[in-house]
Amino acid sequence: MNEPEGVWQHCTNSAIRRAARQLGQLYDDVIAPSGLKGTQFSLMSQIALAGRDGIPLKPLAEALVMDLSALGHTLKPLTRDGLVELIADEKDGRVRRARLTATGAAKQTEALTLWRDAQARFDAAFGAERSAEMRGLLGLVSSPDFAKAFRAAQPIR
């Protein structure tokens, strides 16, 4: 199928954003029965990795390549709905940590089953090997080392 020429054919940023919007919609459709959006599931999954102690907000934002205000905006409905709680750090009360509540952990587990279906569909359509390769490449693009190389207009080391 021939599509009309668009900016995404010449601009990597546009192409990645366009693909991300489509994938977001497709994954959201599969995850919808859990009541979560894909972005919420991804955030909750990152928090789940930290376990019972939770994760400080700044490293969480950095891991997700978000600023703190965007993270706060994304966390708001999850805290409101009792899925995530913000707690003070035991060593530094000024630092807030995010952790899943028991309800949040159950919801994340429920959505994980649906996400696995979405991921299997992606792998079936795109190819499991190409899928893994793409995740590796996108991981590199989202790394601090790539940002540094981009800003310096130098090859990544």
Side-chain angles (χ1 to χ4, degrees):
M1 165 170 99
N2 290 332
E3 291 187 26
E5 187 167 319
V7 71
W8 57 86
Q9 293 174 322
H10 307 285
C11 175
T12 303
N13 182 48
S14 295
I16 289 173
R17 287 176 180 263
R18 183 173 185 248
R21 282 191 299 275
Q22 172 144 310
L23 281 177
Q25 293 166 3
L26 293 169
Y27 274 62
D28 280 353
D29 289 347
V30 175
I31 294 170
S34 72
L36 296 175
K37 297 274 189 198
T39 53
Q40 293 172 320
F41 167 73
S42 293
L43 175 55
M44 290 176 66
S45 294
Q46 192 68 34
I47 294 169
L49 291 173
R52 223 25 239 152
D53 293 334
I55 182 171
L57 296 184
K58 187 174 180 189
L60 177 59
E62 289 170 354
L64 297 168
V65 192
M66 298 174 85
D67 61 41
L68 280 171
S69 64
L71 176 61
H73 179 74
T74 306
L75 281 170
K76 194 173 284 189
L78 298 174
T79 57
R80 179 198 64 220
D81 295 344
L83 302 174
V84 173
E85 59 187 350
L86 300 179
I87 57 172
D89 187 277
E90 290 181 10
K91 295 176 183 156
D92 184 349
R94 298 170 296 174
V95 173
R96 294 187 317 159
R97 301 175 79 85
R99 73 176 174 196
L100 296 183
T101 63
T103 303
K107 181 62 72 175
Q108 191 272 339
T109 299
E110 173 190 348
L112 180 61
T113 301
L114 297 167
W115 171 84
R116 284 185 178 127
D117 179 39
Q119 189 63 36
R121 292 177 190 208
F122 183 87
D123 287 347
F126 195 69
E129 188 174 310
R130 287 174 49 191
S131 176
E133 181 181 1
M134 185 171 64
R135 284 191 305 276
L137 291 171
L138 292 172
L140 174 63
V141 170
S142 63
S143 73
D145 288 341
F146 180 84
K148 183 178 177 183
F150 179 93
R151 289 183 181 104
Q154 298 291 321
I156 192 160
R157 300 191 196 292

